[in-house]
Amino acid sequence: MTLNDLSPILLDAAAPMINPRDVDKRLPDMIAGGLDAVLATAGAIEDFRTTMEDVAKWLEIERSGARKIKIARSVADIREAKASGKIAIVLHFQGSDAIEDELDFINVFHACGLRVMQLTYNARNRVGDGCFEITDGGLSKFGRKVIRRMEALSMAVDLAHAGPRTALEATEVASRPMIISHANARALMETPRNVSDDLIRAVAASGGVVGVCAAPFFLTKDGPATLDMLIDHAVYIADLVGPQHVGLGFDFAEENEEDYVYFGYDERYIPMPPWTFPSRIASHAEAGNLESSLRTRGFGEAEIRGVLGENFLRVFEEIWGC
C-alpha cells in the first residue's frame, strides 16, 4: 500500500482556533471529525515579534514531540502524518503584517515552517487593501515584491480577505497557482468577504483552489445557516470552474467583543459574537458530515476526494515542490 492509497485526506484550509495555547482543547474535535490536516493561523495583523512568539511556540511543540501532531512543510509531511496517526499542522498567516516592511522577514518565517500567507486581512496594509476598505486601492508596489518573494520561496499566496482589486491584480502578477483559503461565492451571498465570479475564474485559471467557508454570515443573512448552504457554494464554484478547484476552509471561531474590535470586523457584514455555526457543520467534530453531503449533491467519488483535501494538496505540491 502506498500513502496515496489511504482514505481521503480531510484538510481545513482555515483554522484560526488551532494555536499553541488551545491545541490540546481542540484536538478531540479534530480527531472526532476525522481531520488530517489544518492550516493553523499563526499570525494575522500582529507585528514581527508578536507573530514570531507564536511561531516559536509551535516549534517547541514540534520539538517536544508530546502531542500527536506534526508541523508539515510539505505534502509528503501531511501524508506521513496521516499514515502515523497524527494531525498535520501547516503554518498559515491570515495577513502579511508580520513581515512589516522587510521582504527578508518572509525568508525567516519560511525557514520556521510558514508555507501559506494571505496578502491582507480586513483592512489596508503595506501590501494592498483588505476586503472592508471602501477605496479598494489594489495591490501596492511592495505587494508585488511580496508575491515575487513568496513565489521564489515556494510559498502559497492566499487571497482570502483581500479587496477585489487587490486580489485580481495579484492574480495578474502571479506565475504560480494562487488560493483562496476560505470564502464563498458572492453570487449566492452578497458580502465583501465572499468572492466574485471573476476572481474565482482567475484563481482557477492559475490552477488554484477556493475553500468554501462555514462562517454563518458568509452563508445567509436570514435565519440559521446549514450544511446544505455550504454545499450550495461548493456546487456553484464547481459548476463555474470545475470541482477540481473547490476545497474546504471552515474558519470556525469563538470570539468575543474584544476580538471583534481587534480584528476590525464591520458590523454591516459581520454581527457581534457569539456566532452560531451551521447545523451539521458547527465544529471540526462534525466535519465527517461533508463526504455524504457532497455525494448526495452529485459529486463523484474522485471529486469528493478532491474537495475534502486532495485539491489543496495538488496545488500545494505544485507550489512547494514536495
Side-chain angles (χ1 to χ4, degrees):
M1 177 182 289
T2 69
L3 291 175
N4 286 328
D5 293 326
L6 295 169
S7 58
I9 293 283
L10 180 53
L11 181 148
D12 176 9
M17 294 198 304
I18 310 305
N19 58 65
R21 182 181 61 256
D22 295 328
V23 66
D24 289 330
K25 181 168 65 174
R26 307 299 179 191
L27 273 172
D29 274 0
M30 288 193 286
I31 293 169
L35 265 292
D36 298 302
V38 297
L39 270 60
T41 303
I45 59 174
E46 296 77 21
D47 63 11
F48 177 86
R49 179 182 175 84
T50 304
T51 306
M52 185 55 78
E53 289 172 355
D54 202 57
V55 171
K57 288 181 175 67
W58 275 121
L59 295 179
E60 174 56 21
I61 287 173
E62 177 182 49
R63 187 204 64 79
S64 71
R67 297 169 180 85
K68 297 200 76 174
I69 63 172
K70 178 182 181 68
I71 306 298
R73 296 165 174 83
S74 67
V75 171
D77 284 346
I78 294 173
R79 297 196 188 280
E80 289 167 8
K82 179 180 176 69
S84 61
K86 297 180 179 180
I87 293 176
I89 303 291
V90 178
L91 299 185
H92 175 214
F93 285 178
Q94 288 207 43
S96 58
D97 289 29
I99 68 170
E100 300 179 1
D101 59 355
E102 294 288 345
L103 282 176
D104 291 348
F105 284 176
I106 305 175
N107 301 23
V108 176
F109 286 122
H110 180 268
C112 291
L114 181 68
R115 290 297 179 268
V116 185
M117 185 169 73
Q118 283 174 202
L119 298 179
T120 71
Y121 196 59
N122 293 325
R124 175 184 298 131
N125 64 11
R126 295 177 178 91
V127 166
D129 275 4
C131 60
F132 290 152
E133 289 291 348
I134 297 172
T135 54
D136 191 21
L139 193 66
S140 70
K141 184 184 296 184
F142 181 65
R144 287 167 167 78
K145 293 179 180 178
V146 167
I147 291 172
R148 287 194 288 270
R149 179 63 63 88
M150 290 177 69
E151 290 191 335
L153 291 167
S154 298
M155 288 175 60
V157 178
D158 182 0
L159 302 179
H161 285 268
R165 183 178 168 192
T166 300
L168 284 170
E169 289 180 355
T171 65
E172 294 167 2
V173 171
S175 61
R176 292 190 176 193
M178 310 195 91
I179 70 163
I180 299 175
S181 59
H182 59 303
N184 293 326
R186 200 161 180 172
L188 298 186
M189 171 64 184
E190 175 61 35
T191 172
R193 263 291 284 115
N194 285 341
V195 292
S196 68
D197 287 2
D198 285 346
L199 181 55
I200 294 170
R201 290 190 186 97
V203 168
S206 79
V209 174
V210 179
V212 292
C213 179
F217 27 80
F218 305 148
L219 292 171
T220 182
K221 295 178 181 177
D222 302 306
T226 66
L227 173 58
D228 284 341
M229 293 176 182
L230 179 66
I231 303 299
D232 287 343
H233 288 268
V235 170
Y236 182 87
I237 296 169
D239 287 345
L240 185 68
V241 294
Q244 69 272 28
H245 300 293
V246 184
L248 304 171
F250 295 125
D251 201 24
F252 296 128
E254 294 176 0
E255 299 189 354
N256 56 33
E257 293 185 14
E258 184 177 344
D259 298 323
Y260 190 92
V261 173
Y262 177 78
F263 288 113
Y265 296 125
D266 190 318
E267 63 185 5
R268 293 173 298 174
Y269 312 114
I270 299 179
M272 189 70 71
W275 302 320
T276 301
F277 278 77
S279 60
R280 298 185 61 231
I281 189 66
S283 71
H284 280 134
E286 295 186 311
N289 291 329
L290 265 295
E291 186 171 350
S292 60
S293 296
L294 289 165
R295 189 173 294 114
T296 298
R297 295 293 291 273
F299 286 84
E301 295 307 307
E303 293 169 345
I304 291 170
R305 289 180 68 94
V307 173
L308 293 180
E310 291 295 335
N311 289 339
F312 269 120
L313 294 190
R314 180 192 72 244
V315 173
F316 291 154
E317 192 164 37
E318 180 174 347
I319 296 170
W320 299 343
C322 53

